[in-house]
Amino acid sequence: MPLRENPNQRGQNDEGQRYYRTLTRNMVLTIILVSFIPYVIVTAILLYQFHASHREKVIAHLEGLVKKHKQNIDAFLKEKLGNLSSLAKTFSYEELSNEEFLKNRLEMLQQAYGPFFVDLGVINARGIQISYAGPFQLVKASYGDAGWFKSAMKREYYISDVFSGLRGLPHFIIAVRENWLGDPWILRGTIDFVAFNNLVEQIRIGQTGFAFILNRDGELQTKPSYPVRADHEPYAAILKREKRAEDQVSTFEWTDESGVKSIYVTAFLKGGDWVLVFQQKVSDAFSDFERALRVTMVVLALGLLAILTTAFLLSRRMVGRIANADREKHMMNEQVVETGKLASVGELAAGIAHEINNPVAIMVEEAGWIEDLLEDDDFKDGANLKEFRRALAQIRTQGKRCKEITHKLLSFARKTDERVLEFDIGEVIQDIVALSGQRAKYSNVAVKLNLDNALPKVRLSQAELQQVLLNLINNALDAMEKQGGSLEINSREEDGILVIEVADNGPGIPAANLGRIFDPFFTTKPVGKGTGLGLSICYGIVKKLGGEIEVASTVGVGTTFRIKMPLEKIKAKGSENGKGE
Amino acid sequence: MTIAKVMLVDDEVPFVETMTKRLTKRGLDVASAFSGNEALDALAKNQAVEVVILDVKMPGMDGIDALRELKRRYPLVEVVMLTGHATVESAIEGMKLGAFDYLMKPCDMDVLMGKVQEAAAKKRQHEGKIIEARLKEIATRRV
């Protein structure tokens, strides 16, 4: 049946499109949500765990490092102090006041411990440097007003902050106070700033990790690798901290004005006077994590991209298949409706046929009775006797016509022999052609057969196939009745489909009628010649057998009916390629 | 003696009436019945009926059932089946059950007459043979 598209259908199509789009979207969203959420959560948990443990490890490492260096520095200062202290205690003020002796001592210290002591000096209670050994000319220099001297005089020993002093170079002093004949004196040593600086400067970790020492007033005691604004936060906060326990190492993070977040590890030195600060940018300190994070993010992004692509492609393909299935179902429904229509038309026709048959029989018999009566002598001389006879004959003729119609209707509704048999298609075609041979001869039609003998045997209702073929052949013969022609019947296999063609070169079917020829009761034959059921029956049977029936026709050229049946469905078992002979 | 004694059985009263007139006019002795049961009852009273013209499709007891019962009771009575719808199945069924022949409504009067005469002749032949056999049996009976 040709499908006529109407605007209503197009509206339904739009609705269908929308439905499938929604379906696609929902599927995509579901797939994405279901795969994304656990994926992201698991990744986040792992990252967090890794971050936490990595951070712990990094901080522990930094704290250990700072602690070790703090101990090193403290030990260094203690050792230098010890050096001076033993010198002051071992030798007398007089001995040490001798410059040669002092120089000698300095050389010995430098040889024993390295070039940490730059110079040594002995200073009396008034702050005058009595003797001096070192590279500068500082004999008789007066330190009476120097802060460190005042502080040193108050204690047994003293370690100064870093300052420039008389020599104009940064250095710091270690001083030991001793008494000589009731007067205090001081043995002073200068620590080489560069050497001391190295102790701290060698604490380098990563790209940005460095260390330096601040004194109580926030002045730099060593030269940091990067500029440090020691008077700014967070250093002030570090110095303000009350707890200055010796072994305490504290860690915190701070974001400076430029938004760079750094990690600070601090430890107090020199009895809380100095603070060793190690600082490193967080991004650098946790660079391993950052790298892992970057890799993870890339993998995550790729994974998400893959999920997205899969979700889209999969959903599109699935919905495409669903749409196809729906379309097929829809078509099947239409076919079922079509077959149902045919069936109900058939039942209706059978009912009508039964009901009409009896009245027609009675009418014909009554007419026959009148005919009988006309035989009687009373009517023999009737003027219109001839006319009566003609009318009654006509009634009988028309009654017979009614009978033919009802019988055809009944056969349309009647169950044909549906027994499925195995048989050879070619033989059935030849049988039917033989049956129609006489009629073809009268109609001056040449019948030509092109049968493929290699066709496999089929399992079908033979009666039904015969009916279809006979109807098609009868139609062709009817069409060519007047002028004769040729009828060609072909059978062959095309891609697993059995094709049977019934082609005539009759007048053809006008395009306007082509769409309706399979409709029940549609006929172009003269009144009384056709019931319009033949092709309808053919259509019903072929569809029922799982095949298709097509028609191609050109006015003036001819008409070809083509029956297509999938061999897969109708092929006889155990018959792969039929018989060859 | 009439050409044949027939009984017409059909549920369509006008059909039966007209056919009765037409068949009578053609020299048949026609009895009528409007259902299978009625036909069987009428046959019980009127043993002379030779041929029954029986409609297949009737309400109540249909033609095939009536035929079966009729043949059981009166095996010699011949039956011509008459029907509005000719199906091969019911024709075969009728023949198996012993119907003489099968005709489609509306049928040609001459054809019907021919069939009835053939059926009657067959019945008379059967009866003749039976009488002959009995006579033979009586004649050869040993005392």
Side-chain angles (χ1 to χ4, degrees):
Chain A
M1 296 275 142
L3 290 171
R4 282 166 290 257
E5 202 187 339
N6 58 33
N8 213 355
Q9 242 168 347
R10 207 170 292 138
Q12 279 172 354
N13 279 351
D14 278 355
E15 205 169 291
Q17 291 288 315
R18 213 164 31 244
Y19 167 72
Y20 291 123
R21 269 204 299 277
T22 317
L23 193 64
T24 313
R25 201 185 54 219
N26 289 348
M27 279 176 78
V28 167
L29 284 180
T30 310
I31 294 175
I32 288 175
L33 281 182
V34 167
S35 1
F36 265 34
I37 290 174
Y39 189 32
V40 169
I41 287 177
V42 166
T43 312
I45 289 172
L46 287 180
L47 267 183
Y48 177 77
Q49 291 290 343
F50 176 59
H51 173 73
S53 68
H54 181 257
R55 186 186 161 83
E56 218 166 85
K57 199 190 102 196
V58 165
I59 288 175
H61 172 67
L62 290 179
E63 284 181 345
L65 190 83
V66 166
K67 195 163 180 175
K68 198 185 99 200
H69 278 86
K70 165 201 138 66
Q71 282 162 355
N72 281 352
I73 293 163
D74 271 340
F76 172 83
L77 292 175
K78 211 173 262 174
E79 181 195 282
K80 298 301 156 231
L81 188 64
N83 288 345
L84 281 190
S85 178
S86 67
L87 205 62
K89 280 191 168 61
T90 315
F91 303 102
S92 67
Y93 176 64
E94 276 176 326
E95 276 172 314
L96 290 171
S97 298
N98 181 334
E99 269 191 29
E100 280 307 311
F101 184 78
L102 200 60
K103 256 180 200 154
N104 208 359
R105 290 292 111 198
L106 179 64
E107 269 168 29
M108 281 177 72
L109 273 176
Q110 283 173 341
Q111 269 167 17
Y113 302 107
F116 291 108
F117 281 108
V118 178
D119 56 8
L120 290 175
V122 177
I123 298 153
N124 66 14
R126 286 181 304 282
I128 305 299
Q129 187 149 273
I130 304 298
S131 67
Y132 172 81
F136 307 103
Q137 292 302 315
L138 293 171
V139 183
K140 303 292 179 240
S142 171
Y143 293 112
D145 297 328
W148 71 265
F149 176 72
K150 287 175 183 163
S151 299
M153 286 301 281
K154 288 175 196 152
R155 283 171 242 182
E156 240 177 283
Y157 54 86
Y158 174 72
I159 300 169
S160 78
D161 288 341
V162 174
F163 66 102
S164 291
L166 294 175
R167 65 193 75 174
L169 285 171
H171 63 286
F172 72 93
I173 283 164
I174 299 175
V176 179
R177 190 190 67 186
E178 282 295 327
N179 281 317
W180 172 253
L181 302 173
D183 281 333
W185 62 279
I186 283 170
L187 176 62
R188 170 197 77 93
T190 306
I191 298 296
D192 180 37
F193 179 74
V194 178
F196 178 69
N197 212 25
N198 279 344
L199 280 181
V200 179
E201 212 173 24
Q202 73 192 23
I203 310 176
R204 288 298 311 268
I205 290 174
Q207 301 274 319
T208 59
F210 66 98
F212 54 89
I213 293 174
L214 288 175
N215 69 2
R216 226 175 241 284
D217 303 320
E219 285 161 1
L220 282 166
Q221 299 302 299
T222 59
K223 189 170 163 284
S225 307
Y226 298 97
V228 167
R229 291 155 83 185
D231 51 339
H232 281 63
E233 291 292 354
Y235 310 108
I238 299 169
L239 294 167
K240 265 183 224 135
R241 214 170 286 157
E242 286 183 15
K243 244 183 158 185
R244 297 200 161 192
E246 276 290 309
D247 288 331
Q248 192 93 16
V249 177
S250 55
T251 308
F252 65 95
E253 281 176 20
W254 176 270
T255 310
D256 68 12
E257 297 90 338
S258 53
V260 179
K261 195 173 182 185
S262 299
I263 182 165
Y264 294 86
V265 184
T266 62
F268 286 98
L269 298 167
K270 211 177 138 222
D273 279 351
W274 290 356
V275 62
L276 175 65
V277 177
F278 171 83
Q279 74 174 66
Q280 188 176 13
K281 285 181 184 162
V282 164
S283 60
D284 186 34
F286 303 125
S287 65
D288 281 352
F289 173 74
E290 300 270 323
R291 198 160 49 241
L293 188 68
R294 269 200 299 280
V295 171
T296 311
M297 283 303 171
V298 168
V299 171
L300 192 71
L302 288 177
L304 296 189
L305 201 69
I307 289 174
L308 270 177
T309 318
T310 314
F312 269 111
L313 292 181
L314 210 63
S315 305
R316 282 253 298 277
R317 200 179 304 159
M318 291 272 284
V319 170
R321 285 201 183 155
I322 291 172
N324 267 343
D326 284 353
R327 216 168 13 250
E328 272 165 24
K329 199 182 113 202
H330 190 65
M331 269 162 67
M332 215 113 92
N333 282 347
E334 269 175 9
Q335 277 172 16
V336 168
V337 168
E338 207 61 59
T339 325
K341 256 193 223 163
L342 273 179
S344 55
V345 166
E347 276 163 29
L348 186 70
I352 291 170
H354 271 301
E355 291 312 310
I356 284 177
N357 214 34
N358 278 328
V360 169
I362 293 166
M363 279 153 63
V364 170
E365 291 311 328
E366 292 289 354
W369 175 234
I370 294 172
E371 237 170 345
D372 289 351
L373 292 179
L374 285 180
E375 300 293 325
D376 290 355
D377 294 340
D378 305 358
F379 299 98
K380 275 256 151 97
D381 303 322
N384 289 325
L385 185 63
K386 214 177 160 193
E387 213 26 51
F388 274 124
R389 287 246 166 84
R390 191 205 57 77
L392 290 167
Q394 182 67 267
I395 291 175
R396 197 168 47 228
T397 311
Q398 296 306 320
K400 272 193 185 134
R401 206 173 119 196
C402 285
K403 187 175 99 173
E404 269 165 34
I405 294 172
T406 55
H407 283 170
K408 274 195 180 162
L409 274 173
L410 283 167
S411 70
F412 173 60
R414 195 176 60 206
K415 270 185 160 178
T416 39
D417 187 4
E418 287 183 334
R419 273 173 306 157
V420 173
L421 300 169
E422 282 188 22
F423 58 90
D424 186 72
I425 285 278
E427 281 173 14
V428 171
I429 294 175
Q430 278 165 351
D431 284 352
I432 293 293
V433 168
L435 282 176
S436 314
Q438 200 67 20
R439 237 200 104 191
K441 215 180 275 171
Y442 284 132
S443 304
N444 203 15
V445 171
V447 181
K448 199 176 152 199
L449 296 180
N450 297 314
L451 304 179
D452 183 354
N453 286 324
L455 283 174
K457 282 196 171 191
V458 295
R459 278 182 65 83
L460 284 176
S461 158
Q462 194 171 353
E464 286 176 337
L465 185 67
Q466 283 172 342
Q467 197 179 356
V468 171
L469 288 170
L470 194 61
N471 271 315
L472 293 180
I473 292 171
N474 278 342
N475 275 348
L477 292 179
D478 286 345
M480 295 185 291
E481 206 166 23
K482 282 178 193 155
Q483 76 276 48
S486 78
L487 173 66
E488 213 173 287
I489 300 171
N490 309 320
S491 72
R492 61 176 180 274
E493 187 187 337
E494 270 177 14
D495 302 327
I497 290 171
L498 171 67
V499 180
I500 302 174
E501 281 175 342
V502 177
D504 66 54
N505 62 355
I509 303 166
N513 290 343
L514 263 186
R516 300 175 57 200
I517 58 168
F518 293 114
D519 290 354
F521 303 114
F522 178 78
T523 182
T524 55
K525 289 177 186 171
V527 176
K529 281 291 265 180
T531 54
L533 291 172
L535 283 176
S536 192
I537 291 168
C538 290
Y539 181 84
I541 290 174
V542 174
K543 280 281 168 185
K544 197 191 78 184
L545 296 178
E548 279 175 51
I549 182 163
E550 293 170 352
V551 60
S553 184
T554 311
V555 173
V557 176
T559 305
T560 301
F561 282 91
R562 192 173 291 119
I563 301 165
K564 290 180 174 178
M565 288 190 275
L567 272 173
E568 189 72 18
K569 282 188 192 164
I570 60 168
K571 195 159 62 184
K573 275 171 203 158
S575 165
E576 265 316 301
N577 225 349
K579 46 179 203 173
E581 66 265 28
Chain B
M1 191 179 161
T2 53
I3 299 172
K5 290 196 179 70
V6 302
M7 179 181 278
L8 186 59
V9 187
D10 196 328
D11 59 310
E12 293 276 342
V13 178
F15 182 77
V16 173
E17 282 171 353
T18 311
M19 284 298 279
T20 305
K21 283 186 230 166
R22 295 193 72 188
L23 292 173
T24 307
K25 193 175 165 59
R26 279 167 175 75
L28 297 183
D29 183 354
V30 184
S32 62
F34 302 110
S35 75
N37 283 323
E38 210 177 299
L40 290 170
D41 292 348
L43 270 176
K45 285 176 202 149
N46 186 356
Q47 297 278 351
V49 171
E50 292 165 306
V51 179
V52 175
I53 300 168
L54 186 59
D55 187 30
V56 171
K57 196 171 177 285
M58 285 186 295
M61 180 188 258
D62 76 3
I64 296 293
D65 292 339
L67 171 66
R68 195 178 285 121
E69 187 58 25
L70 200 149
K71 273 286 170 186
R72 192 181 64 78
R73 292 190 198 173
Y74 316 103
L76 288 181
V77 173
E78 292 298 333
V79 178
V80 174
M81 302 294 286
L82 201 58
T83 185
H85 83 127
T87 60
V88 182
E89 290 82 29
S90 51
I92 291 171
E93 183 79 21
M95 291 303 186
K96 273 186 190 165
L97 290 172
F100 179 77
D101 208 341
Y102 205 88
L103 289 175
M104 271 189 259
K105 272 202 285 189
C107 58
D108 195 85
M109 188 47 71
D110 296 338
V111 175
L112 181 61
M113 279 302 292
K115 291 287 173 208
V116 167
Q117 280 169 26
E118 279 173 38
K122 189 184 171 195
K123 202 228 169 192
R124 282 167 191 170
Q125 197 188 339
H126 279 184
E127 275 176 347
K129 275 187 178 172
I130 288 169
I131 289 166
E132 202 176 304
R134 285 194 65 189
L135 284 174
K136 215 174 179 179
E137 194 256 346
I138 292 167
T140 56
R141 197 182 288 164
R142 271 189 276 175
V143 187

